[in-house]
Amino acid sequence: MRLMVDLEADADATYLTNYHHKLRGRFWRALEGSAFESEHGDGAPMGLAFSNVFPWGDIEEGDERTVLVASPRESLLATIAEDLRTDREFNVGEMAFRVTDLSALDVDVGEPGTRGTIETATGVFVRLYERHREEYGIEPSRSDADTPTYWRPAHTVEPFRDAITDNLQRKHERFAPSYVPGPRAVDGDLFEGYDLIKTYALPVTVTQGVELDVVVSKWRLDYRVRDDAHRKHLNLALDTGLGGRNALGFGFANVVDRTRPGETELEGEDALA
């Protein structure tokens, strides 16, 4: 499920490329005093993912922008929405906005047999730990073997595929019904095609006073829904984000085209219906 937050700029501003910590802060402010406040920093999957403020680019007073927030937990989105209705100030660092409208979106990859493409709107954060490195013969980036290695194209697609599946399995175990087999328990990959758009590095504030230089990647991921369990796995990826650090704004994904059995291709907003 998704919450679409429509914004209007209060002032001219330069677009903040390192927005992650500030944008996350606005959502955590919305969760203060709620049942979700205790989950801040507890290490468990939050079930919260969000886009950047889009469209990208420097801002002029009166500009209209949007943020999308996703979660498998309707109550979490409802708590954020209620705060944004009450307190319409939406500042992301020096980018100052006011909330003008809120609306719910129900995004679905489609029934079994549907083909489509999911595109990551923000970079996917993937770290390869010792198990993945040993399986694929990847040397650690540092002498400490317990230090994770950020995925790069030279590592090939296979460890990326395994890492995002392992990550989704963890989210499945927290948010999905126990009777539904997880992505690690079924035959077949999450996606049929992995088209890398770009890989890039950027500094990210992970908590106040702590900054990391991370490597993330953007993808177009082709899928064909095999059955109801696979549909639930793909929809969970849309609700929670792909890879790690989703509550910092990484791994947010959209369905950009979709073809139902017996239909012609749907694109853009039609693909989100």
Side-chain angles (χ1 to χ4, degrees):
M1 190 173 191
R2 298 192 169 192
L3 175 67
M4 183 164 69
V5 184
D6 292 325
L7 305 169
E8 183 176 303
D10 284 340
D12 295 355
T14 300
Y15 195 99
L16 179 65
T17 56
N18 188 14
Y19 64 85
H20 305 79
H21 180 61
K22 297 293 186 181
L23 183 51
R24 176 182 63 175
R26 180 60 185 93
F27 295 128
W28 275 111
R29 198 176 96 199
L31 296 172
E32 286 179 357
S34 75
F36 302 102
E37 184 177 15
S38 62
E39 297 183 30
H40 191 19
D42 68 359
M46 178 68 186
L48 176 67
F50 51 85
S51 71
N52 60 305
V53 176
F54 65 90
W56 188 278
D58 288 344
I59 298 158
E60 295 183 359
E61 182 179 354
D63 278 356
E64 295 180 350
R65 302 288 166 107
T66 303
V67 173
L68 293 171
V69 192
S71 178
R73 300 196 279 181
E74 185 175 347
S75 57
L76 187 149
L77 292 180
T79 300
I80 292 174
E82 182 58 32
D83 180 84
L84 295 179
R85 288 190 189 97
T86 303
D87 179 3
R88 301 215 168 222
E89 183 182 273
F90 196 101
N91 296 338
V92 183
E94 298 301 314
M95 301 190 298
F97 300 98
R98 294 195 67 77
V99 176
T100 59
D101 197 17
L102 299 166
S103 53
L105 300 174
D106 189 12
V107 181
D108 193 328
V109 295
E111 64 191 68
T114 301
R115 292 184 178 275
T117 301
I118 288 173
E119 185 170 310
T120 58
T122 59
V124 182
F125 182 100
V126 166
R127 292 180 296 185
L128 306 176
Y129 288 86
E130 186 173 5
R131 182 178 69 79
H132 296 116
R133 293 196 301 256
E134 286 183 351
E135 182 173 353
Y136 292 102
I138 297 169
E139 292 295 326
S141 54
R142 299 182 184 178
S143 58
D144 182 1
D146 292 329
T147 301
T149 300
Y150 291 114
W151 182 87
R152 300 173 185 271
H155 299 143
T156 74
V157 167
E158 285 75 14
F160 175 89
R161 175 202 63 198
D162 289 355
I164 64 171
T165 304
D166 287 348
N167 178 272
L168 188 63
Q169 176 68 33
R170 188 174 177 222
K171 295 166 182 171
H172 172 91
E173 290 167 0
R174 181 167 191 193
F175 301 117
S178 59
Y179 60 83
V180 178
R184 272 296 181 202
V186 298
D187 293 330
D189 293 342
L190 280 173
F191 303 104
E192 290 190 335
Y194 293 77
D195 182 13
L196 177 63
I197 298 171
K198 66 176 179 178
T199 306
Y200 56 100
L202 74 164
V204 174
T205 301
V206 294
T207 189
Q208 194 66 41
V210 178
E211 187 173 277
L212 294 178
D213 290 322
V214 305
V215 178
V216 296
S217 50
K218 286 191 174 184
W219 297 81
R220 286 178 64 89
L221 303 163
D222 298 324
Y223 68 86
R224 183 186 66 82
V225 182
R226 296 188 299 273
D227 51 32
D228 286 334
H230 187 215
R231 180 182 190 177
K232 291 182 185 299
H233 300 158
L234 292 173
N235 282 333
L236 182 63
L238 291 175
D239 285 344
T240 61
L242 286 164
R245 297 285 189 179
N246 308 121
L248 260 175
F250 291 108
F252 188 83
N254 293 310
V255 178
V256 295
D257 63 63
R258 188 183 66 190
T259 307
R260 295 189 182 101
E263 293 186 354
T264 55
E265 183 177 283
L266 302 174
E267 296 183 349
E269 292 183 2
D270 291 333
L272 301 179

